Amino acid sequence: MVRLFVNKYPQYNIYNVDKLTYAGNLANLKDIEDKPNYHFIKADICDFPLMLDIMQRDNIDGIIHLAAESHVDRSIKDPFTFAQTNVMGTLSLLQAAKAYWESLPEKFEGKRFYHISTDEVYGALEVPHPEGIKPPFTTKASSGEHHLAYGEKFFTEDLKYQPHSPYSAAKASSDHFVRAFHDTFGMPTIVTNCSNNYGPYQFPEKLIPLFINNIRHRKPLPVYGKGENVRDWLYVEDHARAIDLIFHQGKVAETYNIGGFNEWKNIDIIKVVINTVDRLLGRPEGADMDLITYVTDRAGHDMRYAIDSSKLQRELGWEPSLQFEEGIEKTVRWYLDNQEWMDNITSGDYVKYYEDMYKNR
């Protein structure tokens, strides 16, 4: 998203605020770090005085809030960190924006606080239909022969929240704070809830980059339960395009769901990844299926997520541009072509390098 905005809007000054925790990696933005409209600030969003200082010093008139702890397994082990970053960090940004914008003569006019959230706040849909059913929607990206829906219900913007993990509970709370600041103070806020993203530069604790790397090294592929859980997948650049569109054209106080109309069982997506990696590495297709290793299921593991993006499509004209097979091909090629990046990530070398670079900033 930062890369898209820096390149597309040279008239904007883009300030990338990042604490650079374990998943933060400035090498991901090396291609734009010298752009005159790009500015990096190493900071913790929970630091309210610093957030307010940044708002005032740099005359910030728009916030796109993506900073969050996002890995469910980590939230189960350490819910305090998720509450601190996702809830208190969001509140810190909201209060800093409110304090600065209210001090201006125009106050909230021309301002926008855009909060990115997750589909997991809605809880879980029904147990997936084993064979899939014909989807009740048609889009350019969902018309491929491999697309199935695994149920008749979908997450829509008017569903009540039913979070089941510490991660989704923290995100749900942050969503409520954002909406409360609109209702109480008139802040110009927008919330979006997105499905699983995949694509380049993703930290390899997430399923697709983790499995690409494990297949490359012929390591086990741990699959929760029977691999029957269903997720809706969206290529990351399609999400960035949606953010761009909603930030500029979305209606204040609205919620928009962003999804790929692209449901896959975990075990099926894993098999696609295996076949793709094997083919691109010159191995017999499917040669690494024996790496699949079934492990004890995650506590409270939701069975199915499925986003209905028809509101976004209808009101703003957005739709996903890639079918999954095309997106996964691009994704696998990127990780295989950038093995040095992956090796640096998995070794942890990048952490010390960037800590040393920015420790005095």
Side-chain angles (χ1 to χ4, degrees), residues 11-15 17 39 41 50-64 96-112 247:
Q11 71 274 29
Y12 292 0
N13 277 308
I14 305 298
Y15 294 86
V17 178
H39 314 274
I41 301 172
L50 181 55
M51 293 303 103
L52 181 57
D53 179 66
I54 292 169
M55 294 288 299
Q56 295 169 335
R57 182 191 67 200
D58 298 314
N59 301 315
I60 303 298
D61 55 16
I63 293 176
I64 302 177
K98 172 182 174 292
Y100 173 57
W101 291 341
E102 283 188 332
S103 72
L104 301 174
E106 72 275 18
K107 297 191 181 299
F108 294 136
E109 183 179 349
K111 309 299 187 294
R112 180 148 296 190
F247 180 75

Side-chain angles (χ1 to χ4, degrees), residues 188-329:
T189 63
I190 291 179
V191 176
T192 56
N193 301 86
C194 190
S195 60
N196 281 26
N197 282 207
Y198 72 98
Y201 298 106
Q202 191 169 31
F203 190 80
E205 67 182 357
K206 303 293 187 176
L207 187 150
I208 290 178
L210 172 66
F211 279 30
I212 292 171
N213 197 45
N214 282 13
I215 295 164
R216 172 188 160 211
H217 293 289
R218 299 187 188 274
K219 293 182 178 180
L221 308 176
V223 179
Y224 282 129
K226 297 179 180 179
E228 296 293 316
N229 302 73
V230 171
R231 298 294 183 263
D232 173 28
W233 292 87
L234 180 67
Y235 190 63
V236 64
E237 291 181 7
D238 281 334
H239 189 189
R241 286 193 308 105
I243 292 171
D244 179 16
L245 183 66
I246 293 165
F247 180 75
H248 290 97
Q249 299 183 29
K251 297 177 182 177
V252 168
E254 287 285 353
T255 297
Y256 298 93
N257 282 349
I258 310 171
F261 293 115
N262 183 43
E263 294 181 55
W264 287 77
K265 291 183 181 179
N266 285 347
I267 191 62
D268 292 335
I269 202 173
I270 290 163
K271 290 176 180 178
V272 170
V273 171
I274 292 171
N275 285 333
T276 306
V277 174
D278 283 346
R279 174 169 48 80
L280 293 178
L281 288 178
R283 301 173 185 172
E285 196 164 300
D288 288 310
M289 289 293 177
D290 61 343
L291 296 176
I292 294 174
T293 305
Y294 294 96
V295 298
T296 302
D297 205 357
R298 169 194 286 162
H301 200 177
D302 291 336
M303 280 302 297
R304 175 177 174 249
Y305 302 149
I307 283 277
D308 181 351
S309 298
S310 56
K311 175 181 176 180
L312 179 58
Q313 186 176 19
R314 181 178 64 253
E315 295 188 6
L316 298 182
W318 176 91
E319 62 181 12
S321 66
L322 293 181
Q323 295 211 18
F324 182 75
E325 290 81 359
E326 182 184 357
I328 203 67
E329 179 89 9

Side-chain angles (χ1 to χ4, degrees), residues 63-67 86-95 97-98 101 108 112-117 161 170-193 251-255:
I63 293 176
I64 302 177
H65 175 31
L66 302 103
N86 296 1
V87 183
M88 298 306 295
T90 299
L91 183 56
S92 171
L93 283 176
L94 284 165
Q95 189 68 9
K98 172 182 174 292
W101 291 341
F108 294 136
R112 180 148 296 190
F113 189 106
Y114 178 177
H115 175 68
I116 282 80
S117 189
Y161 278 18
K171 289 299 291 185
S173 178
S174 67
D175 295 5
H176 290 319
F177 268 109
V178 172
R179 295 189 179 102
F181 265 64
H182 171 268
D183 294 348
T184 303
F185 307 113
M187 283 257 297
T189 63
I190 291 179
V191 176
T192 56
N193 301 86
K251 297 177 182 177
V252 168
E254 287 285 353
T255 297

Side-chain angles (χ1 to χ4, degrees), residues 125-138 142-154 230 261-265 268 304-306:
L125 294 167
E126 71 274 21
V127 175
H129 189 287
E131 303 301 326
I133 60 174
K134 184 178 179 181
F137 43 70
T138 301
S142 68
S143 59
E145 61 178 331
H146 295 293
H147 177 77
L148 291 173
Y150 283 91
E152 296 180 353
K153 296 180 180 179
F154 299 86
V230 171
F261 293 115
N262 183 43
E263 294 181 55
W264 287 77
K265 291 183 181 179
D268 292 335
R304 175 177 174 249
Y305 302 149

